[in-house]
Amino acid sequence: MALSRKFMMDGEQVVTTTRTHVKVLFVPLVILLAVAFAGSFLAARAGDSGDGYVRWAVVAIAVVVVLWGSVLPFLRWLSWTYSLTTQRLVEQKGILTREGRVIPLSRINDVSYEKNLNDRILGCGTLLIHNASEEAGLELRDIPHVESFHRQVSDLVFAAHRGSDESV
């Protein structure tokens, strides 16, 4: 989901949009597979006992667990995006209720990243952005290709600061 054109200012362009690495979907995938296996096994074992009510109860419980443990985390992952534009960094998240945070590039003081061994193997990392506000900085966890995203943010921040210095 890219940043909608109606949320952008005049002359602003989206440089890149990303979401967290797919590694956050590993546990929901394991839950899906385990529930599918256990649910189908238990439903088959229940057979037609109790006029099939036991089987339907097993299926209903399996569906609820899959929705809660797999579908909901997937929708959360799908709807959580970070968009870097030529003027700001925008975080948007939420399935039913959307919320977001916008940091103008001219207000960013520091951009750094962290990668542990797991992140280095999977090609992702955490981007830390500190801005000139009293609110805590923004921590973008599990960003794919974090060095590239860090370089793009840094280049745009330096350009924004050069532009604000020239206007003074």
Side-chain angles (χ1 to χ4, degrees), residues 15-167:
V15 176
T16 186
T17 297
T18 190
R19 59 178 42 94
T20 57
H21 194 272
V22 294
K23 78 177 189 178
V24 299
L25 296 176
F26 179 72
V27 172
L29 177 65
V30 169
I31 290 172
L32 176 68
L33 295 175
V35 170
F37 175 76
S40 60
F41 176 77
L42 291 174
R45 291 286 286 171
D48 287 333
S49 62
D51 292 332
Y53 291 124
V54 175
R55 182 184 325 183
W56 285 110
V58 167
V59 169
I61 291 170
V63 167
V64 168
V65 172
V66 165
L67 287 174
W68 179 77
S70 295
V71 175
L72 192 59
F74 174 75
L75 291 175
R76 242 184 246 124
W77 172 81
L78 192 63
S79 66
W80 197 331
T81 61
Y82 302 105
S83 296
L84 178 64
T85 71
T86 53
Q87 297 179 13
R88 57 198 173 136
L89 179 65
V90 180
E91 174 191 35
Q92 291 182 319
K93 60 183 173 181
I95 299 170
L96 297 177
T97 302
R98 297 287 289 168
E99 54 183 272
R101 182 162 179 202
V102 175
I103 300 178
L105 296 177
S106 61
R107 305 272 299 166
I108 294 176
N109 293 338
D110 182 46
V111 181
S112 59
Y113 68 92
E114 297 175 352
K115 291 176 75 170
N116 60 30
L117 181 60
N118 180 18
D119 292 338
R120 293 176 72 182
I121 292 169
L122 295 173
C124 61
T126 301
L127 191 69
L128 303 166
I129 297 178
H130 300 281
N131 59 349
S133 71
E134 293 181 16
E135 194 171 331
L138 187 61
E139 187 172 303
L140 287 62
R141 293 190 167 275
D142 299 323
I143 300 296
H145 311 291
V146 70
E147 294 100 343
S148 173
F149 198 75
H150 173 263
R151 191 172 31 260
Q152 289 176 324
V153 171
S154 296
D155 288 345
L156 289 170
V157 166
F158 291 142
H161 286 286
R162 274 195 303 269
S164 64
D165 290 342
E166 293 172 2
S167 63

